[in-house]
Amino acid sequence: MANTSSAKKATRKIVRRAAINKNRRSRVRTYVRQVEEALASGDKAAAQAAFKIAEPELMRAATKGVIHKNTASRKVSRLAQRVKVLSA
């Protein structure tokens, strides 16, 4: 249990920040899932549209520190590759 006032404040900040990060991570997973579903259904137009929304969401999560920059880049790259294969 936190004893000092600064430790108590830090605990409050951590709880707030964790909630924000959880929300951002959830948004990323939602958009990535939409791309995955469009790819699975074989709908080229839907996959491209979903990817166009998912890419900035992934990069935003990386800039906010929710996920690592390389992780976001890797996910974007792999999704782009799968969308490209579907388009071809």
Side-chain angles (χ1 to χ4, degrees):
M1 185 64 204
N3 290 323
T4 63
S5 59
S6 61
K8 289 176 184 174
K9 179 179 178 180
T11 314
R12 291 193 306 268
K13 286 170 66 175
I14 289 166
V15 169
R16 247 191 335 264
R17 179 59 46 202
I20 292 167
N21 286 343
K22 183 179 178 184
N23 186 28
R24 286 196 177 120
R25 199 174 304 112
S26 176
R27 280 176 59 93
V28 167
R29 288 180 181 150
T30 299
Y31 288 119
V32 170
R33 191 190 71 242
Q34 288 173 357
V35 177
E36 298 279 356
E37 288 171 354
L39 287 167
S41 69
D43 189 352
K44 179 175 74 170
Q48 287 174 332
F51 176 69
K52 207 169 202 156
I53 297 168
E55 181 183 4
E57 199 63 44
L58 276 160
M59 298 319 287
R60 189 173 301 117
T63 59
K64 299 295 182 183
V66 178
I67 57 176
H68 195 273
K69 186 172 71 95
N70 291 354
T71 303
S73 293
R74 183 181 68 241
K75 287 181 183 293
V76 167
S77 176
R78 288 180 181 174
L79 284 173
Q81 187 178 20
R82 289 174 62 193
V83 169
K84 184 178 175 185
V85 166
L86 186 68
S87 300

